[in-house]
Amino acid sequence: FCVACTGIDSSFLCILFYHMNCVINSFCFSSEVLEAIENVVQGVFQSLAQKKAPVLTLANRTDWRNIEFKDSVGLQMIPGSTTKRIRSDCPQSARRFALMLKILSMIYKMVQSNTYATKRDIYYSDTLLFGSQSAVDQIINDISCMLKIPRRSLHVLSTTKGFVAGNLCYTEEDGTKVNCTCSATAVTVPSNVQGIKNLTSHAKFILIVEKDATFQRLLDDDFFSKVSPCIMITGRGVPDLNTRLLVRKLWDSFQIPIFTLMDADPHGVEIMCVYKYGSVSMSFEAHHLTVPSVKWLGLLPSDLERLNICRDALIPFTKQDENKLASILKRPYIASQPLWKKELEIMAASKLKAEIQVLTSLSSNFLSRVYLPNKLQFGGWL
């Protein structure tokens, strides 16, 4: 295959192979990462020696046929799942093959030198070569799946968009002490969740909030200290990897109830399912990301009728909403949640959806002063 046009130096494989034999790494897992990359490159060498076109093979991580549902884990990839092959001699995949080797070389050097880079750093190291940020993101996830090593262990970090606030203190990897309790504003979720330590909290529960606007409103109302000590987190929509990792770390550390506050629409339900059960594309990392104990606190479709929300304040379904809800209802985890299924059927029958902000039609502070306190006191979750 041609590497000259991809930005990979033609001597890269030989240089990398030489370094593989010279490196002595004192960190066991770092050695495991390096060894996994070495095995990939060695396979490339063996193919070339046999005058065969090298191929990279990885599990097809977007195929539902490769996924199984388990109550204690969520969506996980099955052993012996179907694979896809990235060929070096095929016009459709040769470029991707070369880019995977390029990023593997960058990861190898970072692990070797114990340095880190964000996915954005990798993209901007050669924007012409990579073409787009999404291409880099997909390749990094493919590499993680191929090596069977969590992405954070590859020394590749994500740019964080999530926020955390409330009764929580921790120390970041560089020794910086973070006190979310005293902060008047939210704290950005750490970019290296794996590196934080000394987590302390007196929180009674964790509240995951779908939208940033709702999160900020609860923050302004001082909800996390007035009602009961708690930790609030938002992924500001679909959560990034760091936000999901933090939710899992908090669960592992404190074993306290975790509730979700989402819009009463198919998109909000799907986001909640990502926190609880994971996603198909990241199912190979399910054991590190999912929190099956997550509970649905609100906004429940049945709440809309119970609270006598005016029908004019609700939003009609779009065709996309109908398709999304139909897809969710067919997923394997819904069968294990009959109460969830009942709520989704209420939504499907009405063909109406509602944002959390609809509660302001009752009163400006109904969410923080009435709805959430009553739900938490009387067990109004599923």
Side-chain angles (χ1 to χ4, degrees):
F1 65 99
C2 177
V3 296
C5 60
T6 64
I8 304 176
D9 189 280
S10 59
S11 61
F12 156 66
L13 293 176
C14 293
I15 293 172
L16 179 57
F17 193 74
Y18 170 76
H19 282 298
M20 291 171 186
N21 295 319
C22 298
V23 170
I24 298 176
N25 197 304
S26 59
F27 298 99
C28 180
F29 203 78
S30 293
S31 297
E32 184 181 329
V33 176
L34 296 178
E35 183 180 355
I37 297 175
E38 291 165 11
N39 289 338
V40 171
V41 176
Q42 191 171 26
V44 171
F45 268 121
Q46 288 173 347
S47 294
L48 291 173
Q50 297 167 8
K51 300 189 184 304
K52 295 179 181 178
V55 174
L56 299 177
T57 304
L58 62 149
N60 191 340
R61 58 186 182 85
T62 59
D63 190 340
W64 272 97
R65 292 173 297 178
N66 287 340
I67 309 300
E68 67 177 359
F69 169 67
K70 191 175 180 181
D71 275 333
S72 60
V73 179
L75 299 176
Q76 63 179 3
M77 190 167 284
I78 60 174
S81 54
T82 60
T83 59
K84 61 179 180 180
R85 291 157 62 84
I86 314 296
R87 300 188 62 86
S88 61
D89 61 346
C90 175
Q92 287 78 23
S93 62
R95 173 180 167 77
R96 190 173 188 84
F97 179 94
L99 291 180
M100 288 184 74
L101 286 185
K102 173 66 174 177
I103 294 179
L104 275 171
S105 75
M106 298 174 76
I107 291 171
Y108 193 91
K109 290 171 186 174
M110 288 190 294
V111 175
Q112 204 175 40
S113 60
N114 196 30
T115 56
Y116 292 81
T118 64
K119 294 186 296 183
R120 199 163 181 80
D121 291 334
I122 292 174
Y123 169 61
Y124 278 106
S125 68
D126 198 330
T127 56
L128 290 177
L129 172 64
F130 294 120
S132 68
Q133 181 68 65
S134 62
V136 171
D137 296 351
Q138 291 171 16
I139 288 171
I140 289 169
N141 285 338
D142 279 347
I143 287 173
S144 177
C145 182
M146 178 177 69
L147 300 180
K148 295 181 174 58
I149 291 173
R151 192 177 74 192
R152 59 199 174 280
S153 299
L154 302 178
H155 287 225
V156 178
L157 306 176
S158 300
T159 302
T160 295
K161 66 170 184 159
F163 290 132
V164 58
N167 197 291
L168 175 67
C169 299
Y170 59 85
T171 304
E172 292 191 337
E173 192 176 30
D174 63 1
T176 302
K177 296 185 185 302
V178 178
N179 188 343
C180 302
T181 310
C182 298
S183 179
T185 57
V187 174
T188 303
V189 169
S191 59
N192 186 7
V193 175
Q194 187 183 25
I196 67 174
K197 55 189 177 181
N198 302 328
L199 285 81
T200 58
S201 176
H202 300 293
K204 302 300 182 184
F205 62 90
I206 297 166
L207 181 65
I208 301 172
V209 182
E210 176 187 353
K211 289 182 174 176
D212 185 38
T214 306
F215 179 87
Q216 294 297 336
R217 179 59 193 264
L218 291 174
L219 198 61
D220 291 342
D221 290 348
D222 201 21
F223 173 78
F224 65 80
S225 60
K226 281 185 178 177
V227 176
S228 180
C230 72
I231 299 168
M232 297 196 308
I233 296 177
T234 180
R236 301 168 70 192
V238 178
D240 57 23
L241 189 67
N242 291 325
T243 304
R244 292 176 62 190
L245 284 169
L246 181 60
V247 171
R248 177 59 194 243
K249 193 174 187 81
L250 292 174
W251 165 248
D252 289 338
S253 300
F254 304 124
Q255 298 283 302
I256 55 178
I258 301 180
F259 302 113
T260 58
L261 181 62
M262 307 281 156
D263 287 342
D265 64 15
H267 187 65
V269 172
E270 177 146 70
I271 289 173
M272 174 175 60
C273 291
V274 169
Y275 283 107
K276 185 177 178 74
Y277 296 122
S279 61
V280 174
S281 62
M282 294 298 289
S283 58
F284 62 95
E285 275 207 61
H287 290 268
H288 306 288
L289 293 173
T290 61
V291 186
S293 62
V294 162
K295 304 295 183 185
W296 187 3
L297 185 66
L299 184 64
L300 301 179
S302 60
D303 288 339
L304 303 176
E305 184 176 350
R306 182 176 61 83
L307 296 171
N308 293 317
I309 299 294
C310 177
R311 191 177 179 88
D312 291 342
L314 305 181
I315 306 168
F317 260 26
T318 64
K319 187 63 178 177
Q320 185 179 12
D321 291 325
E322 291 182 30
N323 293 339
K324 174 69 72 178
L325 184 56
S327 170
I328 293 172
L329 281 166
K330 292 176 183 175
R331 292 180 190 172
Y333 45 70
I334 296 300
S336 69
Q337 293 283 354
L339 295 179
W340 281 31
K341 186 177 181 181
K342 184 177 179 181
E343 292 291 332
L344 298 182
E345 287 171 346
I346 291 173
M347 191 189 299
S350 70
K351 292 188 177 181
L352 294 170
K353 59 185 180 179
E355 297 181 337
I356 297 167
Q357 284 77 7
V358 76
L359 297 178
T360 60
S361 65
L362 301 176
S363 72
S364 60
N365 57 7
F366 189 84
L367 175 65
S368 59
R369 298 292 174 86
V370 181
Y371 182 78
L372 289 177
N374 285 344
K375 282 264 186 173
L376 292 164
Q377 182 178 354
F378 299 111
W381 58 79
L382 304 178

